[in-house]
Amino acid sequence: MRSSNNPPQTNTPSQTNNAPSSPMRRPGAGRPGSGKRTSSGLSQEITLNSPPQDVQPRSHPNLGYDSIAQAQQVAFNPAYNSAYEVQTPQNFIMTPGSDGRSPFGTPQQQNHRPSLQYAGGRNISNPQMDTLAGESMISREHEQLLISADLATMQHSNVSRHNSYADPHRSPPIAGQAARMGVHRTLSNVSSSDLAMAEAPSQTPPPRVVTAPSVSDADQKLINELENYLEQNSYAYDSHVQLINLLHQGFVAHVYDASGNAVKDPREYRLLSDMRQAREAMDSRFAVGEEIWREWIHDESLLAHTGEERLAVMELCQRAVSEEPSSVVLWLLYSEYVLQSFSVGNGQAADNSSRLTEEDRQICEAVFTRELVLGVWEKAVQATEWRIDESNRIWDRYVDWVLAEFPEHPTPGQVEQVNNMFMARLQVPHATWSETSSKFWPIVSKYNANTWEEIMAATNEMAQPAKRQYGLREVHELNIRRASDSGDKTALYNAFTEYLAWDVKNARKGRVAAFNTQLRSSLFERALLRFPTVVEWWLDYADFLTTADTDSHNILLALERATRHCPWSGDLWSRRILRSDVEKRPYEEVGNVKHKATNSGLLDIGGMEEVLKVYSTWCGYLRRQAFDPENTDDEVDMAEMGITGTIEDAQVAGKKIYGEEFKGDPLFRLEKIHIKFLTEAHRVDDARSVWEQLVPTHAQYFDFWFRYYIWELMIWAHARMSESVRLETLENAPKQASAILSRALKQRELDWPEKMIEAYIHHFQQHENAEAVQTAEVEARVASYYLQIRRAKEAEEAAAASADAVPTTTTTEVPHRNGLETIHEEAPASGKRKRDDEPQQNGDDAVKRNKTDDVKPTTEASSSASAQIKRDREHNTITVRDLPKDVAEKRIRQFFSDCGDILSVNIASDDGAMNSYATIEFGDNEGALAGKTRDGKEIDGQVIRIQSGTLSTLYVTNYPPDFDEAKITELFQDVSANLFYQ
């Protein structure tokens, strides 16, 4: 039996600072306990008068009366995205890879790779973000060099955030508080994430001794401990959430009685300023998500007594829907709030505080106009139109309001407008199509009695595609609804996974062509609203938008949100930099994105691989910019400084993560970009110097030498193409390229010497004269001789290792039951009762015994090298990861066909995973070694990762005769879920 086992990773909070002993440093507890994380349940309707559910209000900016006109415009500004990004926002983390593998080996701090998985049998809670404690704001010695080099023209002033609340009962002036919140009152087409690039994260509440009667002594103590802890570890996600929850619990206990009735003034809560500051600190570091936004808005609406404070709540709503644009809950809160404020300003409803002065009422009346309210509702309807599950919650409410104001005797134009509104709605797939239709027919019968039948027939005909699309999706919608209602996050995740896979599959078949772009985008938005840290979904979403969406602005917005939710993902930051380049964004803006990705150190969680993804994309951008037709020599010089500075930063980061033994990127990605840059600049000697600098650390890699050789050949070919007469002489032969292959051939530890010998012979036959070819053939034979010695030694070592792993006794070839391949079983020891001594058996046992007895024993010892080489599955096997989900065995065999004889291929995938993995057994160890050289190559567009099969094989003997594959699986199910039998 062969077991391919992925051991689970252990995530322990790192002790990265030398803070004195505190309750935070208790053994077994990296941070204070007893807190709960804000849940992320399904959307539910919230009324402004109901008690909040244990999450946090937030401070809000105060607007002067002269800001009314500007506030009205902000409410409609689609580019006003206050989901601002400050330094390093971070949501809870999901690891880049389950097996923790990278081309660099094992990081020094493997516990900095927390795991978050949602499929069955996996952890579905968010990992302890305190793993990041003390690591998040890394200082890098070369960062200033890089900033001055590649962003020399950028002068970006920082906006300080003040965190003092002198009077928690009254909002501070707009200038101070808006700066503190990071809210920029701008009408320009600049997103708040861009504006926030210059901002530093808000400070956490300072430790202080302030008590509140509604907070228990135990909770007060824990609050103090958390504030002390966050002062030193400001990127501890769970600690932020726990602190906010504790402060909010005290707020709720202060305001409401046991029956849920508001009995006290919320502004008299003594820890109000702490709660606001705690929320602000968290929001400046992480994407907070729909649920926190919902409760935040609810609490601030409760605290808003003046007209200016109502404007600030409206602004908070705008920020929320900008960060979560598909959230029905948040749009409903926003729309209802402006409608309520409109009613208050026009004297149609009482303010919830009865403190509204005439000046405040005038502010509400001037700002919350009918046009503004209608505009917000229309934007809510538009933003959630394709939410097939819940868009009716907003549309129905909007229509009720429109019909309530519909005149008793409307004009034909007004009737036509309402008819068109309903007919357009009925052509969009949604769960309550019948209810929408039921609302429409009375209107038609009342105002279009003579053409009622024609309108009904035309509407039904136009609505058929929408009804058909919903019918196709109804089963999946039901699965999502059931999973959500049950509160089972694993089931909900799996339901979304199946739904997305179904949508892709049916789109290829052409079954869901109608509304494909809108419905799939909405499906991605819904899935990411519930599971915002699934990087693969964000990448799939970006890929889909890239191929299907003509509005490029949507792609970049999606990537901005993705990096806010998953700031540790190098893939997402790289995509964002690349997309910014595609859209020709300003150099300063692209540079800001890169520095945001690297400055916090959160990329280090995923190891050097995530850092290098960003660095590679950034250096590629610099190279392209340098040789843009419109750029000057200054841009070229600045780009070179940026590339070399990034290479130095990568070296510093690698040593920080992996220690002094870090020797650089085995794939030398940044150096390849540098070489390309120098080559384009016609600085061939400088480029060759970079190649030579890589020789000491990459001499054992065939890929390195072959790329070096191809580069030299390209340089030679370019010079030859410029010659008017093309003659082959000793002087114009590719001497540099020949010399590279000769040096490579002499490397005794080369990882793929067979391929190098082949390339060596081919080159000399193609490009050198007869004498040189003759010499090359001699050298190739010498190299082949030494290679045979090397392979024989490796085979002996493999045989010896296998002999040590399996007891050396006379073995019998016994066929594995249920048609599995044979394995070596030990002959019974002299002290055990032989099978011949057992009593005669009847039935199935006898049949099984006879099947075994039919096999002829062999006398070849298992310690024999030749026997072990034939049966050495462990050393002849590789494990291939990150394969496409639907990859076929035939495709795998085809990909590895030139590596050697393939004896078996086993393909598997984890539940809910987007990729597959496979084990491939070759006929000999040479085939396995050749197969490993394919690491980093692509199969059907996906980069694969290859590991050796060493230490993954378990030999099982002496199991009962009635044990079949199912029973063996059950026996080892606690060890691994990934078992292959041979």
Side-chain angles (χ1 to χ4, degrees):
M1 183 183 68
R2 191 166 184 279
S3 170
S4 181
N5 187 13
N6 296 330
Q9 297 182 15
T10 302
N11 302 322
T12 57
S14 62
Q15 307 296 332
T16 56
N17 56 46
N18 298 320
S21 176
S22 73
M24 306 302 143
R25 303 294 181 182
R26 297 191 303 269
R31 62 176 180 83
S34 305
K36 72 180 187 67
R37 178 184 170 173
T38 303
S39 62
S40 183
L42 190 65
S43 307
Q44 55 181 337
E45 186 173 5
I46 304 299
T47 61
L48 295 176
N49 295 322
S50 62
Q53 301 181 7
D54 72 355
V55 177
Q56 57 274 16
R58 170 178 173 158
S59 58
H60 48 268
N62 193 347
L63 300 179
Y65 188 77
D66 57 351
S67 301
I68 290 175
Q70 192 178 33
Q72 288 177 315
Q73 296 179 64
V74 167
F76 297 102
N77 185 0
Y80 183 83
N81 176 7
S82 291
Y84 55 92
E85 302 180 12
V86 285
Q87 286 298 326
T88 51
Q90 160 86 4
N91 206 336
F92 59 90
I93 286 179
M94 203 176 155
T95 58
S98 60
D99 62 337
R101 183 188 180 279
S102 84
F104 309 95
T106 304
Q108 284 185 317
Q109 298 171 330
Q110 194 68 14
N111 60 318
H112 278 243
R113 299 171 63 87
S115 175
L116 176 62
Q117 298 165 320
Y118 296 98
R122 298 180 179 186
N123 176 24
I124 61 174
S125 64
N126 84 297
Q128 297 300 317
M129 284 295 300
D130 293 338
T131 304
L132 306 179
E135 289 289 332
S136 52
M137 298 300 292
I138 298 176
S139 62
R140 297 193 173 172
E141 296 177 359
H142 295 269
E143 189 62 25
Q144 292 303 318
L145 170 64
L146 183 57
I147 293 174
S148 60
D150 56 22
L151 294 176
T153 62
M154 181 179 65
Q155 298 295 330
H156 213 105
S157 59
N158 290 335
V159 180
S160 62
R161 290 170 173 260
H162 304 285
N163 293 281
S164 60
Y165 290 82
D167 182 6
H169 303 283
R170 186 80 176 177
S171 295
I174 178 62
Q177 194 166 0
R180 182 174 59 255
M181 291 183 64
V183 177
H184 299 264
R185 309 195 60 76
T186 176
L187 304 180
S188 63
N189 189 27
V190 180
S191 69
S192 62
S193 60
D194 300 327
L195 296 172
M197 287 177 179
E199 300 175 7
S202 299
Q203 293 182 359
T204 56
R208 59 196 185 103
V209 181
V210 178
T211 60
S214 58
V215 178
S216 68
D217 292 340
D219 286 349
Q220 184 65 63
K221 179 180 178 182
L222 189 54
I223 287 172
N224 293 337
E225 291 178 349
L226 285 165
E227 289 177 342
N228 278 288
Y229 184 67
L230 287 170
E231 189 176 33
Q232 301 296 324
N233 308 279
S234 64
Y235 280 84
Y237 179 89
D238 283 342
S239 295
H240 278 285
V241 175
Q242 187 177 356
L243 174 61
I244 292 169
N245 283 338
L246 288 170
L247 292 169
H248 181 72
Q249 289 169 15
F251 176 79
V252 173
H254 169 81
V255 175
Y256 297 98
D257 60 15
S259 301
N261 300 315
V263 295
K264 291 184 179 180
D265 185 349
R267 293 175 173 250
E268 294 179 356
Y269 179 49
R270 294 183 182 178
L271 298 178
L272 178 59
S273 62
D274 290 66
M275 182 173 64
R276 282 175 161 171
Q277 191 171 352
R279 280 180 162 172
E280 183 176 330
M282 180 180 177
D283 182 59
S284 67
R285 291 166 174 82
F286 310 102
V288 298
E290 179 189 70
E291 186 69 9
I292 292 181
W293 276 118
R294 179 186 66 80
E295 295 177 336
W296 187 342
I297 293 169
H298 183 286
D299 292 343
E300 287 299 332
S301 66
L302 183 67
L303 287 159
H305 289 173
T306 68
E308 293 177 350
E309 290 169 346
R310 279 187 172 274
L311 301 186
V313 174
M314 181 183 70
E315 194 170 74
L316 190 65
C317 291
Q318 173 64 26
R319 295 175 52 217
V321 297
S322 297
E323 185 168 290
E324 303 295 347
S326 66
S327 171
V328 171
V329 169
L330 298 179
W331 275 111
L332 195 59
L333 273 176
Y334 184 13
S335 304
E336 292 285 6
Y337 189 77
V338 295
L339 179 59
Q340 183 195 55
S341 298
F342 167 76
S343 300
V344 170
N346 288 274
Q348 299 173 9
D351 180 59
N352 62 340
S353 66
S354 70
R355 297 183 183 178
L356 199 68
T357 65
E358 180 60 23
E359 180 183 357
D360 292 330
R361 191 198 64 76
Q362 289 177 3
I363 292 177
C364 289
E365 182 181 13
V367 174
F368 298 101
T369 62
R370 184 183 185 280
E371 290 73 19
L372 182 142
V373 174
L374 184 63
V376 171
W377 276 99
E378 288 175 348
K379 289 177 68 66
V381 169
Q382 181 182 5
T384 60
E385 178 181 14
W386 298 98
R387 278 291 301 267
I388 196 172
D389 57 330
E390 290 189 322
S391 60
N392 60 288
R393 294 178 59 192
I394 291 179
W395 197 89
D396 291 347
R397 183 74 177 88
Y398 168 68
V399 167
D400 290 343
W401 186 56
V402 171
L403 294 180
E405 294 197 344
F406 201 63
E408 183 65 26
H409 302 287
T411 65
Q414 291 173 325
V415 173
E416 183 180 5
Q417 185 177 7
V418 171
N419 287 347
N420 291 340
M421 181 175 64
F422 272 95
M423 293 177 72
R425 174 62 176 169
L426 290 170
Q427 295 178 59
V428 175
H430 60 282
T432 58
W433 192 95
S434 298
E435 290 81 352
T436 304
S437 177
S438 298
K439 283 186 177 183
F440 184 36
W441 302 137
I443 297 173
V444 175
S445 62
K446 181 176 181 180
Y447 299 108
N448 304 91
N450 296 332
T451 57
W452 183 87
E453 292 184 356
E454 291 83 353
I455 294 176
M456 181 176 67
T459 302
N460 284 330
E461 182 179 356
M462 290 187 294
Q464 286 306 309
K467 296 174 69 175
R468 179 176 180 273
Q469 289 303 317
Y470 185 80
L472 291 172
R473 291 168 167 78
E474 192 168 12
V475 172
H476 294 285
E477 292 292 335
L478 181 60
N479 291 340
I480 288 177
R481 192 179 310 121
R482 287 174 176 171
S484 179
D485 292 343
S486 69
D488 187 342
K489 285 190 175 181
T490 300
L492 184 60
Y493 173 83
N494 291 333
F496 273 119
T497 300
E498 293 172 4
Y499 198 171
L500 287 166
W502 172 89
D503 194 55
V504 172
K505 180 179 179 181
N506 283 273
R508 291 173 179 170
K509 295 180 178 179
R511 296 181 60 193
V512 293
F515 320 113
N516 180 47
T517 300
Q518 299 91 334
L519 289 178
R520 193 183 302 179
S521 295
S522 176
L523 181 57
F524 272 117
E525 289 285 352
R526 291 167 58 189
L528 291 166
L529 200 61
R530 297 289 162 255
F531 302 96
T533 58
V534 181
V535 173
E536 287 300 317
W537 284 358
W538 282 111
L539 292 171
D540 291 343
Y541 188 20
D543 289 345
F544 173 70
L545 291 175
T546 301
T547 56
D549 193 351
T550 57
D551 186 358
S552 61
H553 185 62
N554 290 340
I555 304 172
L556 190 56
L557 286 178
L559 289 170
E560 287 175 357
R561 292 167 51 217
T563 52
R564 180 154 163 79
H565 281 288
C566 308
W568 53 266
S569 171
D571 284 315
L572 290 175
W573 283 110
S574 297
R575 289 291 191 92
R576 183 173 169 185
I577 293 172
L578 182 60
R579 188 65 209 180
S580 299
D581 187 16
V582 169
E583 296 188 11
K584 305 300 181 184
R585 293 301 180 100
Y587 176 77
E588 291 79 5
E589 180 180 330
V590 182
N592 273 330
V593 175
K594 178 265 177 183
H595 289 301
K596 277 188 57 59
T598 57
N599 280 355
S600 72
L602 295 178
L603 283 174
D604 296 350
I605 297 169
M608 196 61 196
E609 183 68 15
E610 300 303 311
V611 177
L612 279 172
K613 288 174 183 177
V614 177
Y615 281 164
S616 297
T617 306
W618 170 244
C619 288
Y621 167 76
L622 291 175
R623 184 193 63 77
R624 291 188 295 271
Q625 286 291 107
F627 299 105
D628 187 274
E630 299 180 359
N631 283 347
T632 64
D633 290 342
D634 290 339
E635 278 77 12
V636 174
D637 294 339
M638 192 161 55
E640 182 179 8
M641 294 179 66
I643 292 173
T644 55
T646 301
I647 293 174
E648 293 174 6
D649 277 352
Q651 192 68 20
V652 172
K655 290 185 177 180
K656 179 185 181 303
I657 298 173
Y658 298 96
E660 291 300 322
E661 65 273 13
F662 177 73
K663 303 302 181 184
D665 177 13
L667 304 179
F668 52 99
R669 282 163 281 194
L670 303 183
E671 288 81 2
K672 283 186 284 190
I673 296 173
H674 192 199
I675 290 168
K676 171 68 173 177
F677 170 87
L678 294 171
T679 304
E680 283 188 273
H682 296 175
R683 294 163 55 185
V684 174
D685 290 340
D686 290 339
R688 188 174 288 118
S689 296
V690 177
W691 281 113
E692 288 299 322
Q693 291 169 12
L694 291 169
V695 170
T697 54
H698 293 75
Q700 72 272 32
Y701 300 121
F702 163 80
D703 184 67
F704 165 76
W705 288 109
F706 192 71
R707 287 178 180 273
Y708 191 179
Y709 155 71
I710 292 296
W711 180 84
E712 288 286 7
L713 199 63
M714 179 192 68
I715 299 298
W716 168 80
H718 177 76
R720 288 298 311 275
M721 292 297 291
S722 62
E723 296 176 357
S724 58
V725 180
R726 309 219 177 123
L727 301 175
E728 291 191 9
T729 66
L730 291 175
E731 288 72 21
N732 63 17
K735 297 179 181 179
Q736 295 280 7
S738 300
I740 294 301
L741 290 178
S742 297
R743 292 170 63 189
L745 200 65
K746 296 176 182 178
Q747 304 298 322
R748 297 306 181 202
E749 300 299 325
L750 200 65
D751 59 350
W752 200 356
E754 293 87 353
K755 202 67 176 178
M756 182 55 68
I757 294 173
E758 178 185 332
Y760 182 77
I761 291 295
H762 176 78
H763 166 78
F764 277 85
Q765 289 176 344
Q766 290 288 325
H767 302 291
E768 295 284 2
N769 58 30
E771 184 178 352
V773 173
Q774 177 179 266
T775 304
E777 289 181 348
V778 173
E779 293 295 331
R781 287 200 65 207
V782 173
S784 298
Y785 170 76
Y786 284 111
L787 177 60
Q788 291 177 2
I789 296 176
R790 172 182 166 183
R791 293 303 188 213
K793 182 178 180 181
E794 290 172 350
E796 291 177 1
E797 292 174 350
S802 298
D804 292 339
V806 181
T808 56
T809 59
T810 301
T811 61
T812 302
E813 291 282 345
V814 181
H816 228 306
R817 293 152 178 81
N818 289 337
L820 300 178
E821 296 182 12
T822 59
I823 64 172
H824 290 293
E825 285 194 352
E826 297 181 9
S830 59
K832 294 186 178 180
R833 181 161 52 96
K834 302 275 197 298
R835 188 177 292 275
D836 293 340
D837 297 333
E838 295 177 358
Q840 185 69 27
Q841 300 181 30
N842 298 320
D844 293 340
D845 289 343
V847 172
K848 293 175 181 176
R849 185 192 63 194
N850 290 336
K851 286 183 179 180
T852 303
D853 292 343
D854 289 341
V855 180
K856 297 180 180 180
T858 66
T859 58
E860 187 176 7
S862 63
S863 59
S864 167
S866 60
Q868 288 301 326
I869 293 173
K870 293 179 182 178
R871 310 302 303 175
D872 189 13
R873 291 191 179 92
E874 181 168 9
H875 294 87
N876 297 350
T877 301
I878 61 174
T879 300
V880 185
R881 302 190 180 279
D882 291 345
L883 289 165
K885 180 69 173 180
D886 55 352
V887 68
E889 179 179 339
K890 181 180 179 181
R891 179 71 180 93
I892 296 177
R893 287 181 176 273
Q894 179 185 20
F895 185 80
F896 290 97
S897 60
D898 59 349
C899 296
D901 294 333
I902 299 177
L903 301 184
S904 65
V905 177
N906 293 286
I907 306 173
S909 62
D910 296 326
D911 294 339
M914 302 299 290
N915 300 322
S916 300
Y917 55 90
T919 59
I920 304 173
E921 181 187 355
F922 291 90
D924 52 31
N925 183 249
E926 183 176 333
L929 292 173
K932 287 173 63 178
T933 63
R934 299 300 178 89
D935 184 35
K937 307 299 183 184
E938 290 188 4
I939 293 183
D940 297 340
Q942 289 195 202
V943 178
I944 60 173
R945 298 176 296 142
I946 300 177
Q947 293 175 300
S948 172
T950 305
L951 301 180
S952 63
T953 302
L954 179 66
Y955 295 92
V956 180
T957 61
N958 285 351
Y959 52 84
D962 62 339
F963 259 48
D964 56 11
E965 181 177 330
K967 290 186 177 180
I968 294 178
T969 299
E970 181 180 358
L971 181 64
F972 290 95
Q973 64 181 357
D974 294 334
V975 178
S976 175
N978 309 317
L979 301 175
F980 299 120
Y981 303 86
Q982 295 182 348

